[in-house]
Amino acid sequence: MSLMTVRHSEVADLVFQNALDFLNSGLKILFDERSTASDAKVSVIAIQTAIELLAKYRLVRHFGLSAIIRGSVPEGDPLALATSGRLRTLGYGECLKLIDKDEGFSDSEREMLEGVQQLRNSLAHFAADVEVENVRLELSWLLVSALAMFAAGTDRDYGEMETHARFLNKANFDRLIGFRPYRAQAVDISNDSPDTIEVFRCWECKEDSLALRHSENYFCHCCGLAAVTLAAGFADCQHCNRANGVCYDRLNSNEGFHHGKCLFCNKTAAVPCRFWGIKRGNQRALDAASCIDCGAVGSEAS
């Protein structure tokens, strides 16, 4: 790795850490039960600033410092230039266009991402009136897309078994992931994303927002879990009949069956190991599963 590449990585990390400072401070204010309309205005400005920095982080990380610089990048150490305060960077709207070209937003995501800037500008310059609960709704909806596309970015396709907890402190993670409107938006986004093949219930946050992406990796639009498909498989539940309700470990089997658990009824179940059945020529292992709870087979389990 060249020194220049290292420097660009350090610039990206610097932008990222600044973004997280604004994001966590903004969320702390936003979800404080004592927050007033004035506090909500501050949270909008802090979180919009964080989202803009996260968008720039993604561009610098993937394309280098020149991706966010207006005009040509001056000669010199990229890190020194970035910390000098002399560089002119692209605005939020311009960054959105570049990311949209690279990945593509849905119409609702584009409208929401652009709308927060308009709200921020009206608050900063014209003191618009706000209601705390409305601000919580709008910013939480926005963060579903911003955390996925800007903060996680291509990490969604690496399957590192990490969540949004790496961006948010524990209190903010718990508040945001537990906020019902945020969770509902995550379900909608996971189904609407052009990168989604199929959606399952997430084994970490128990929301129906775990998307199987075209990269053949799982990504949860709610808690941010990223995992390779080898980490887990899904099968229909023998107890509650939920399609794909049972989550099981694909890498471990015992005498032809994977042990799993239904994410809906919380009962244990066994899933036939297709590889074991083919290897042993045992068709029964492909067609029926023995219930771990009662020992019944296939449709007899209840």
Side-chain angles (χ1 to χ4, degrees):
M1 183 180 293
S2 69
L3 177 60
M4 192 62 70
T5 300
V6 170
R7 284 308 206 193
H8 283 302
S9 177
E10 290 175 342
V11 172
D13 289 343
L14 182 63
V15 175
F16 183 64
Q17 290 304 318
N18 284 336
L20 297 192
D21 286 342
F22 280 104
L23 178 60
N24 280 291
S25 295
L27 285 172
K28 180 180 179 181
I29 296 169
L30 183 67
F31 283 104
D32 192 319
E33 294 179 356
R34 300 165 295 178
S35 287
T36 65
S38 296
D39 295 326
K41 292 179 182 180
V42 175
S43 71
V44 170
I45 293 172
I47 292 175
Q48 194 279 330
T49 300
I51 291 171
E52 179 173 345
L53 289 171
L54 287 173
K56 290 178 177 179
Y57 159 72
R58 170 172 173 163
L59 291 171
V60 173
R61 184 184 180 191
H62 296 166
F63 306 113
L65 182 59
S66 61
I68 65 168
I69 299 303
R70 195 178 300 282
S72 59
V73 181
E75 294 291 332
D77 183 335
L79 185 60
L81 289 170
T83 57
S84 69
R86 295 184 290 108
L87 294 178
R88 296 183 62 214
T89 60
L90 300 181
Y92 177 60
E94 293 169 297
C95 291
L96 289 185
K97 289 180 180 178
L98 291 174
I99 296 174
D100 191 7
K101 183 178 179 181
D102 182 48
E103 176 160 347
F105 300 136
S106 67
D107 291 340
S108 60
E109 286 177 322
R110 187 178 297 105
E111 181 179 355
M112 196 173 300
L113 289 165
E114 293 173 350
V116 72
Q117 184 184 32
Q118 296 170 1
L119 176 60
R120 185 258 184 210
N121 289 341
S122 66
L123 293 177
H125 302 296
F126 302 104
D129 292 329
V130 299
E131 293 184 8
V132 175
E133 193 55 35
N134 287 342
V135 170
R136 285 185 182 137
L137 287 172
E138 291 187 27
L139 290 180
S140 66
W141 291 338
L142 172 69
L143 284 170
V144 174
S145 296
L147 288 176
M149 286 188 169
F150 304 163
T154 55
D155 287 348
R156 290 170 289 173
D157 298 319
Y158 295 156
E160 297 293 338
M161 295 294 287
E162 291 187 295
T163 68
H164 290 331
R166 66 190 190 275
F167 309 134
L168 307 172
N169 62 43
K170 187 179 186 309
N172 284 335
F173 179 81
D174 291 344
R175 292 187 191 105
L176 184 63
I177 304 306
F179 190 44
R180 189 64 251 175
Y182 171 90
R183 295 176 72 91
Q185 178 71 0
V187 173
D188 290 342
I189 293 296
S190 64
N191 283 281
D192 292 342
S193 172
D195 285 317
T196 296
I197 299 173
E198 194 171 3
V199 177
F200 304 93
R201 174 156 289 192
C202 176
W203 62 84
E204 287 290 332
C205 67
K206 307 302 188 291
E207 190 55 83
D208 300 321
S209 53
L210 183 70
L212 172 60
R213 291 168 58 81
H214 285 290
S215 64
E216 298 186 353
N217 285 267
Y218 295 123
F219 177 74
C220 179
H221 289 264
C222 181
C223 69
L225 174 69
V228 296
T229 50
L230 283 177
F234 293 87
D236 298 345
C237 181
Q238 304 160 357
H239 303 284
C240 65
N241 297 318
R242 286 276 191 167
N244 293 320
V246 173
C247 180
Y248 64 93
D249 183 352
R250 275 184 164 146
L251 296 178
N252 294 297
S253 64
N254 181 24
E255 295 186 352
F257 295 98
H258 300 281
H259 286 199
K261 192 172 188 178
C262 181
L263 299 173
F264 293 88
C265 69
N266 208 37
K267 291 184 178 180
T268 56
V271 179
C273 176
R274 182 165 295 275
F275 174 77
W276 187 89
I278 294 172
K279 183 178 179 181
R280 297 296 183 107
N282 188 340
Q283 188 60 37
R284 185 169 175 267
L286 297 177
D287 296 337
S290 175
C291 176
I292 293 173
D293 290 327
C294 64
V297 175
S299 60
E300 296 176 9
S302 62

